[in-house]
Amino acid sequence: DDAPRPREERMAADLHALQQPGLPPGVQVAGIFSLGKNRYAPAIPTIEGFLQDADPTVRAEALKVLIRYYKLDRHWETARQFLLYDPSNWPRIIAAELLGEIRRDTNDPQTLALLANVVLNAEEEPLIRGGAYTAMEMIRHYDRRIHPLRVAKHLEDIPDVDWPWVKQCATWTPNQP
């Protein structure tokens, strides 16, 4: 039986609807989330297209879905670009969080260095610095009792920042192990 199942038909219809021009950002975000939550693979190229959307909430949702639901670690570089260069704060906060998710419990020195330099940048938005620090903690050791409560906190609101560790992480260079 090659007939599409009702779920597949619904997902295909949702994808087609999402591809229509002129949708309000809220509708785009809901469509991206729904397709991602259902891990509907044919939607990946369309969702990747939203990474360049003019609306920051749409960009952030596209990145979140691609990493969190589709598990596309190839978007590590996309998250890095968002964190460092996105003109809006929301995609940058989400990117920091997602970098922590991608490298959770790995002690990845490259990602730790990237995030540490954001944490140490006094000119950076406190919310982005706090998100970067929380992501660093997730990379060092994820604790599901603590980390979900720290998402989107100002750095000043995190009482136990390990500054020596942050400074040590920031010194990593690509030719180190």
Side-chain angles (χ1 to χ4, degrees), residues 148-169:
L149 303 175
R150 285 206 173 163
V151 171
K153 277 201 168 190
H154 281 244
L155 187 64
E156 293 83 14
D157 294 335
I158 299 173
D160 53 350
V161 174
D162 184 345
W163 289 109
W165 173 64
V166 173
K167 290 173 184 164
Q168 177 190 346
C169 289

Side-chain angles (χ1 to χ4, degrees), residues 1 3 6 14 31-32 39 44 67 78 103-105 134-135 149 156 177:
D1 181 20
D14 289 353
I32 291 166
R39 292 178 177 81
I44 292 172
I67 290 173
T78 311
R103 298 292 191 255
R104 184 163 83 186
D105 285 325
T134 300
L149 303 175
E156 293 83 14

Side-chain angles (χ1 to χ4, degrees), residues 12 19 26 30 34 50 100 103 119 126 137 140 159-160:
Q19 293 167 333
S34 174
F50 284 110
R103 298 292 191 255
V119 173
E137 289 184 311
R140 177 165 58 175
D160 53 350

